Amino acid sequence: QEFQFGPCRVEGVVLQELWEAFWAMKDIVQAKDNITNVRLLRKEVLQNVSNAESCYLIRALLKFYLNTVFKNYQDKAADFRVRKSFSTLANNFVVIVSKLQPSQENEMFSVSDSARRRFLLFQRAFKQLDIEAAQTKAFGEVDILLTWMEKFYQL
Amino acid sequence: HVAEDTSDLLQHVKFQSSNFENILTWDSRPESAPDTVYSVEYKKYGEREWLAKEGCQRITRKSCNLTLETGNPMEHYYARVTAISAGGPSATKMTDRFSSLYHTTIKPPNVTCIPKVRSIQMIVRPSTTPIHTGDGHRLTLEDVFPDLSYHLELQVNHTYQMHLGGKQREYEFIGLTPDTEFLGAIRIFVPALVRESDPYMCRVKTLPDRTWT
């Protein structure tokens, strides 16, 4: 079982555990997001991502989730009594990010730039919302993120 | 101005989904006005505009089939109901975010149990869904869930069960005693979503052994 984001291989992460962790929180977190007309992980961010792009994109997204979404969600997770599931999800994201080593070679510039533009679409939408609402919305969209990651997962 | 309590009019607005048949249901308290009518709207998560569901405008029943409108298993949706009582207040309530891929209940499989003298054959027929591909092909659960598998159990006696399983559709429990009743239970299992159906049960009796008569 491993992720294969283009050239980046990530072993030792069981996708099912991520799903189980998120499901334990899904209804609670999504119910807190009442901005139904905004979706951060829109089609333009995740659709038709090439294998080569995927490593750059997943790294940018997971780092953002860890540094901007999860970092400020610890207390809420305790309030919602889902701290264990929250930690499982966050720790697995840390493991994945630590194993992603996208190539820095010049000829990959156009690929990494395309991935960066996709990420900026997501980040811009995030910044247009109040920070708390944006964190709740991003957290509630982890199922969309996991569904996309599943395409790069091999049993 | 004191806000009128309209919670009588509308409660428990939610999707009930099984094998991707998505039905919106709701309740109202018994004492709410009997002449209340309901109108349904839906939309994709992230879209601004609510769309009126044709056939569920100003209805008196408390359910509405949104299978077609919420048919993309990879998409996320919301629906909302507006209740209007004659000359009285109205109320609008929305569902949680809904995605049939995660929320649908998997029904028990369709199975034919065929008893023989010393074995029982079980043939699973694929469960169809209302989901169609672009070219009109109707998807089965196996199409939607590539990792779907079947778990079969045969209760031999109070303490002993036999187990079979896999992705194929034909199974046979062998080495059984002739002219004896057995209880079979067959479930669908989707590992990726950690989901399992209720069992299809079949009670069958192996045939008598007539070789020596």
Side-chain angles (χ1 to χ4, degrees):
Chain A
Q1 294 175 338
E2 64 176 25
F3 283 107
Q4 188 89 54
F5 296 105
C8 303
R9 273 176 69 207
V10 177
E11 292 172 330
V13 174
V14 180
L15 181 57
Q16 209 162 307
E17 284 175 16
L18 272 65
W19 273 117
E20 287 170 22
F22 181 70
W23 267 322
M25 306 181 275
K26 178 175 159 21
D27 290 340
I28 296 169
V29 173
Q30 288 185 351
K32 304 280 179 199
D33 174 11
N34 40 41
I35 306 172
T36 64
N37 57 353
V38 173
R39 170 170 160 164
L40 303 177
L41 290 169
R42 314 196 302 260
K43 287 196 169 62
E44 297 82 355
V45 177
L46 293 179
Q47 214 163 42
N48 305 323
V49 174
S50 69
N51 260 345
E53 267 182 282
S54 61
C55 188
Y56 296 98
L57 183 56
I58 189 63
R59 188 162 178 263
L61 286 170
L62 295 189
K63 284 177 77 174
F64 185 88
Y65 265 85
L66 289 169
N67 300 331
T68 308
V69 180
F70 290 175
K71 198 171 78 175
N72 304 300
Y73 222 87
Q74 301 261 8
D75 303 337
K76 285 200 185 81
D79 299 344
F80 299 157
R81 288 196 205 84
V82 290
R83 179 185 282 271
K84 185 171 178 292
S85 301
F86 172 79
S87 302
T88 300
L89 199 60
N91 293 336
N92 273 284
F93 276 19
V94 168
V95 169
I96 295 172
V97 168
S98 68
K99 296 187 176 182
L100 292 169
Q101 310 291 340
S103 154
Q104 301 306 326
E105 287 150 26
N106 286 339
E107 62 263 25
M108 293 304 282
F109 174 75
S110 68
V111 171
S112 66
D113 190 54
S114 171
R116 198 173 66 81
R117 270 183 276 117
R118 288 176 184 273
F119 171 72
L120 290 178
L121 280 176
F122 165 79
Q123 192 181 42
R124 222 171 281 134
F126 183 93
K127 286 184 173 173
Q128 281 168 4
L129 301 175
D130 153 80
I131 181 69
E132 282 224 6
Q135 285 167 346
T136 298
K137 179 170 283 296
F139 202 120
E141 292 189 4
V142 163
D143 52 2
I144 297 174
L145 183 59
L146 291 179
T147 299
W148 178 72
M149 290 169 68
E150 200 158 10
K151 294 176 187 171
F152 302 91
Y153 193 66
Q154 274 129 32
L155 290 172
Chain B
H1 165 68
V2 176
E4 211 152 337
D5 175 14
T6 58
S7 58
D8 277 0
L9 284 173
L10 211 43
Q11 295 179 331
H12 314 133
V13 178
K14 62 185 179 203
F15 279 98
Q16 313 251 24
S17 176
S18 63
N19 282 16
F20 297 98
E21 181 105 25
N22 309 326
I23 312 296
L24 182 69
T25 63
W26 57 91
D27 289 327
S28 61
R29 283 221 182 94
E31 59 272 22
S32 69
D35 54 1
T36 304
V37 292
Y38 307 95
S39 294
V40 171
E41 294 167 300
Y42 65 94
K43 71 173 181 176
K44 279 182 190 167
Y45 168 52
E47 286 184 3
R48 197 170 295 278
E49 207 187 320
W50 288 91
L51 304 171
K53 161 62 180 170
E54 217 178 301
C56 293
Q57 299 303 307
R58 303 185 67 80
I59 55 175
T60 52
R61 67 177 188 277
K62 292 172 187 154
S63 70
C64 174
N65 190 323
L66 286 173
T67 297
L68 284 182
E69 292 76 12
T70 58
N72 180 348
M74 304 303 284
E75 199 51 83
H76 300 249
Y77 300 92
Y78 282 96
R80 70 181 181 187
V81 181
T82 300
I84 305 161
S85 62
S90 71
T92 298
K93 283 218 171 116
M94 188 173 70
T95 64
D96 286 338
R97 193 176 307 167
F98 171 77
S99 165
S100 54
L101 188 67
Y102 310 128
H103 290 107
T104 206
T105 302
I106 298 174
K107 290 183 187 172
N110 305 306
V111 185
T112 306
C113 297
I114 306 165
K116 299 182 179 174
V117 177
R118 293 182 183 285
S119 69
I120 294 174
Q121 193 182 14
M122 294 185 181
I123 301 173
V124 183
R125 291 190 308 283
S127 309
T128 56
T129 73
I131 306 169
H132 288 80
T133 55
D135 56 8
H137 166 63
R138 192 165 177 168
L139 298 185
T140 66
L141 285 181
E142 291 172 359
D143 296 326
V144 178
F145 300 118
D147 62 340
L148 180 148
S149 62
Y150 300 101
H151 288 189
L152 299 89
E153 185 185 282
L154 191 74
Q155 190 81 38
V156 179
N157 55 43
H158 291 303
T159 56
Y160 177 48
Q161 295 133 15
M162 298 171 77
H163 294 271
L164 292 173
K167 298 168 94 68
Q168 71 271 26
R169 296 198 189 137
E170 292 198 15
Y171 301 84
E172 190 158 9
F173 288 99
I174 56 174
L176 304 179
T177 310
D179 202 17
T180 305
E181 192 170 79
F182 296 90
L183 180 62
I186 304 97
R187 291 179 174 80
I188 292 174
F189 183 58
V190 181
L193 297 179
V194 194
R195 198 98 48 86
E196 187 171 60
S197 72
D198 287 338
Y200 172 88
M201 308 296 290
C202 67
R203 187 179 295 277
V204 282
K205 192 171 189 179
T206 47
L207 306 180
D209 185 355
R210 301 198 190 286
T211 47
W212 302 107
T213 53

Coordinates of all heavy atoms in Angstrom, one line a residue, chain B residues 20-57:
Chain B
F20 N -27.6 4.2 -3.9 CA -27.6 5.4 -4.7 C -29.0 5.9 -5.1 O -29.1 6.7 -6.0 CB -26.7 5.2 -5.9 CG -25.2 5.0 -5.5 CD1 -24.7 3.7 -5.4 CD2 -24.4 6.1 -5.1 CE1 -23.4 3.5 -5.0 CE2 -23.1 5.9 -4.7 CZ -22.6 4.6 -4.7
E21 N -30.0 5.4 -4.5 CA -31.4 5.9 -4.7 C -31.5 7.0 -3.6 O -31.5 6.6 -2.4 CB -32.4 4.8 -4.5 CG -33.8 5.2 -4.7 CD -34.4 4.8 -6.1 OE1 -33.8 3.8 -6.6 OE2 -35.3 5.4 -6.6
N22 N -31.6 8.2 -3.9 CA -31.5 9.3 -2.9 C -32.8 10.0 -2.7 O -33.3 10.7 -3.6 CB -30.4 10.4 -3.4 CG -29.1 9.7 -3.7 OD1 -28.7 8.7 -3.1 ND2 -28.4 10.2 -4.7
I23 N -33.4 9.8 -1.6 CA -34.7 10.3 -1.3 C -34.6 11.4 -0.2 O -34.0 11.1 0.9 CB -35.7 9.2 -0.8 CG1 -35.7 8.0 -1.8 CG2 -37.1 9.8 -0.7 CD1 -36.2 8.3 -3.2
L24 N -35.2 12.5 -0.4 CA -35.2 13.6 0.6 C -36.4 13.4 1.4 O -37.5 13.2 0.9 CB -35.2 15.0 -0.1 CG -35.2 16.2 0.9 CD1 -33.8 16.3 1.6 CD2 -35.5 17.5 0.1
T25 N -36.3 13.4 2.7 CA -37.5 13.2 3.6 C -37.4 14.3 4.7 O -36.4 14.8 5.0 CB -37.4 11.8 4.3 OG1 -36.3 11.7 5.1 CG2 -37.4 10.7 3.3
W26 N -38.6 14.5 5.3 CA -38.7 15.5 6.3 C -39.9 15.1 7.2 O -40.8 14.3 6.8 CB -38.8 16.9 5.8 CG -39.9 17.2 4.9 CD1 -41.2 17.6 5.2 CD2 -39.9 17.0 3.4 NE1 -41.9 17.8 4.0 CE2 -41.2 17.4 3.0 CE3 -38.9 16.6 2.5 CZ2 -41.5 17.3 1.6 CZ3 -39.2 16.5 1.2 CH2 -40.5 16.9 0.7
D27 N -40.0 15.8 8.3 CA -41.2 15.6 9.2 C -41.7 17.0 9.6 O -41.1 18.0 9.4 CB -40.7 14.9 10.5 CG -40.3 13.5 10.3 OD1 -40.9 12.9 9.4 OD2 -39.4 13.0 10.9
S28 N -42.9 16.9 10.2 CA -43.4 18.1 10.9 C -44.1 17.5 12.2 O -44.5 16.4 12.2 CB -44.5 18.8 10.0 OG -45.5 17.9 9.8
R29 N -44.3 18.4 13.1 CA -44.9 17.9 14.4 C -46.4 17.6 14.1 O -47.0 18.3 13.2 CB -44.8 19.0 15.5 CG -43.4 19.0 16.1 CD -43.5 19.2 17.6 NE -42.2 19.3 18.2 CZ -41.6 20.4 18.4 NH1 -42.2 21.6 18.2 NH2 -40.4 20.5 18.9
P30 N -47.0 16.6 14.8 CA -48.4 16.3 14.5 C -49.3 17.5 14.6 O -50.3 17.6 13.8 CB -48.7 15.3 15.6 CG -47.4 14.8 16.1 CD -46.4 15.8 15.8
E31 N -49.0 18.4 15.5 CA -50.0 19.5 15.7 C -49.8 20.6 14.7 O -50.5 21.6 14.7 CB -49.9 20.0 17.1 CG -48.6 20.6 17.5 CD -47.7 19.5 18.1 OE1 -47.9 18.3 17.9 OE2 -46.7 19.9 18.8
S32 N -48.9 20.4 13.7 CA -48.7 21.5 12.7 C -49.9 21.5 11.8 O -50.6 20.5 11.6 CB -47.4 21.3 12.0 OG -47.6 20.2 11.2
A33 N -50.2 22.6 11.1 CA -51.4 22.8 10.3 C -51.4 21.7 9.2 O -50.4 21.5 8.5 CB -51.3 24.2 9.6
P34 N -52.5 21.0 9.1 CA -52.6 19.9 8.1 C -52.5 20.4 6.7 O -52.2 19.6 5.8 CB -54.0 19.3 8.4 CG -54.8 20.4 9.1 CD -53.8 21.2 9.8
D35 N -52.9 21.6 6.4 CA -52.9 22.1 5.0 C -51.5 22.6 4.6 O -51.4 23.3 3.6 CB -53.9 23.2 4.8 CG -53.7 24.3 5.8 OD1 -52.7 24.2 6.6 OD2 -54.5 25.2 5.8
T36 N -50.5 22.3 5.3 CA -49.1 22.8 5.0 C -48.6 22.2 3.7 O -48.9 21.0 3.4 CB -48.1 22.4 6.1 OG1 -48.6 22.9 7.4 CG2 -46.7 22.9 5.8
V37 N -48.0 23.0 2.9 CA -47.5 22.5 1.6 C -46.0 22.7 1.6 O -45.5 23.6 2.3 CB -48.1 23.2 0.4 CG1 -49.5 22.8 0.2 CG2 -47.9 24.7 0.4
Y38 N -45.2 21.9 0.9 CA -43.8 21.9 0.9 C -43.2 22.1 -0.5 O -43.7 21.5 -1.5 CB -43.3 20.6 1.5 CG -43.9 20.2 2.8 CD1 -45.0 19.4 2.9 CD2 -43.4 20.8 4.0 CE1 -45.5 19.1 4.2 CE2 -43.9 20.5 5.2 CZ -45.0 19.6 5.3 OH -45.6 19.4 6.5
S39 N -42.1 22.8 -0.6 CA -41.4 23.0 -1.8 C -39.9 22.7 -1.6 O -39.3 23.0 -0.6 CB -41.6 24.4 -2.4 OG -42.9 24.6 -2.7
V40 N -39.4 21.9 -2.6 CA -38.0 21.4 -2.5 C -37.0 22.1 -3.5 O -37.4 22.4 -4.6 CB -38.0 19.9 -2.7 CG1 -36.5 19.4 -2.8 CG2 -38.7 19.2 -1.7
E41 N -35.9 22.5 -3.0 CA -34.8 23.0 -3.8 C -33.5 22.2 -3.5 O -33.4 21.6 -2.5 CB -34.6 24.5 -3.6 CG -35.7 25.4 -3.9 CD -35.5 26.8 -3.4 OE1 -35.5 26.9 -2.1 OE2 -35.5 27.7 -4.1
Y42 N -32.6 22.3 -4.5 CA -31.3 21.6 -4.3 C -30.2 22.3 -5.0 O -30.5 23.2 -5.9 CB -31.4 20.1 -4.9 CG -31.6 20.1 -6.3 CD1 -30.6 20.0 -7.2 CD2 -32.9 20.3 -6.9 CE1 -30.7 20.0 -8.6 CE2 -33.1 20.3 -8.3 CZ -32.0 20.1 -9.1 OH -32.2 20.2 -10.5
K43 N -29.0 22.0 -4.7 CA -27.8 22.6 -5.4 C -26.6 21.8 -5.1 O -26.5 21.1 -4.1 CB -27.6 24.0 -5.1 CG -27.1 24.3 -3.7 CD -26.7 25.8 -3.6 CE -26.2 26.1 -2.2 NZ -25.7 27.5 -2.1
K44 N -25.6 22.0 -5.9 CA -24.2 21.4 -5.7 C -23.6 22.3 -4.6 O -23.7 23.5 -4.6 CB -23.4 21.4 -6.9 CG -23.7 20.2 -7.9 CD -22.7 20.2 -9.0 CE -23.1 19.2 -10.1 NZ -22.4 19.4 -11.4
Y45 N -22.8 21.6 -3.8 CA -22.0 22.4 -2.8 C -21.0 23.3 -3.6 O -20.3 22.8 -4.5 CB -21.2 21.4 -1.9 CG -20.1 22.1 -1.1 CD1 -20.4 23.2 -0.3 CD2 -18.8 21.6 -1.1 CE1 -19.4 23.7 0.5 CE2 -17.8 22.2 -0.3 CZ -18.1 23.2 0.5 OH -17.2 23.8 1.2
G46 N -21.0 24.6 -3.2 CA -20.1 25.5 -3.9 C -20.8 26.4 -4.9 O -20.3 27.4 -5.3
E47 N -22.0 26.0 -5.3 CA -22.8 26.8 -6.3 C -23.7 27.8 -5.5 O -24.2 27.5 -4.5 CB -23.5 25.9 -7.2 CG -22.5 25.3 -8.2 CD -23.1 24.4 -9.3 OE1 -24.4 24.4 -9.4 OE2 -22.4 23.9 -10.1
R48 N -24.0 28.9 -6.2 CA -24.7 30.0 -5.5 C -26.2 29.7 -5.6 O -27.0 29.8 -4.7 CB -24.4 31.3 -6.2 CG -24.8 32.5 -5.5 CD -24.1 33.8 -6.1 NE -22.7 33.7 -6.1 CZ -22.0 34.1 -5.0 NH1 -22.6 34.5 -3.9 NH2 -20.7 34.0 -5.0
E49 N -26.7 29.2 -6.8 CA -28.1 29.2 -7.1 C -28.8 27.9 -6.6 O -28.3 26.8 -6.9 CB -28.3 29.3 -8.6 CG -29.6 29.9 -9.1 CD -29.7 29.8 -10.6 OE1 -28.6 30.0 -11.2 OE2 -30.8 29.5 -11.0
W50 N -29.9 28.1 -6.0 CA -30.7 26.9 -5.6 C -31.7 26.6 -6.8 O -32.2 27.5 -7.4 CB -31.6 27.2 -4.4 CG -30.8 27.3 -3.1 CD1 -30.2 28.4 -2.6 CD2 -30.5 26.2 -2.3 NE1 -29.5 28.1 -1.4 CE2 -29.7 26.7 -1.2 CE3 -30.8 24.8 -2.3 CZ2 -29.2 25.9 -0.2 CZ3 -30.3 24.0 -1.3 CH2 -29.5 24.6 -0.2
L51 N -31.8 25.4 -7.1 CA -32.7 24.9 -8.2 C -34.0 24.3 -7.6 O -33.9 23.4 -6.7 CB -31.9 23.9 -9.1 CG -30.6 24.4 -9.6 CD1 -29.8 23.3 -10.3 CD2 -30.8 25.6 -10.6
A52 N -35.1 24.7 -8.2 CA -36.4 24.1 -7.7 C -36.5 22.7 -8.3 O -36.2 22.5 -9.5 CB -37.5 25.0 -8.2
K53 N -36.9 21.8 -7.5 CA -37.1 20.4 -8.0 C -38.5 20.3 -8.6 O -39.5 20.4 -7.8 CB -36.9 19.4 -6.8 CG -37.5 18.1 -7.1 CD -36.9 17.3 -8.2 CE -37.6 15.9 -8.4 NZ -37.3 15.2 -9.6
E54 N -38.5 20.1 -9.9 CA -39.8 19.9 -10.5 C -40.5 18.7 -10.0 O -39.9 17.6 -9.7 CB -39.6 19.7 -12.0 CG -40.6 20.3 -12.9 CD -40.2 20.1 -14.4 OE1 -39.1 20.5 -14.8 OE2 -41.0 19.4 -15.1
G55 N -41.8 18.8 -9.7 CA -42.6 17.7 -9.2 C -42.6 17.7 -7.7 O -43.3 16.9 -7.0
C56 N -41.8 18.6 -7.1 CA -41.9 18.6 -5.6 C -42.1 20.1 -5.2 O -41.4 20.6 -4.3 CB -40.6 18.1 -5.0 SG -40.3 16.3 -5.2
Q57 N -43.0 20.8 -5.9 CA -43.3 22.2 -5.5 C -44.7 22.2 -5.0 O -45.7 21.6 -5.6 CB -43.2 23.0 -6.8 CG -41.8 23.1 -7.4 CD -40.7 23.5 -6.4 OE1 -40.9 24.6 -5.7 NE2 -39.7 22.7 -6.2

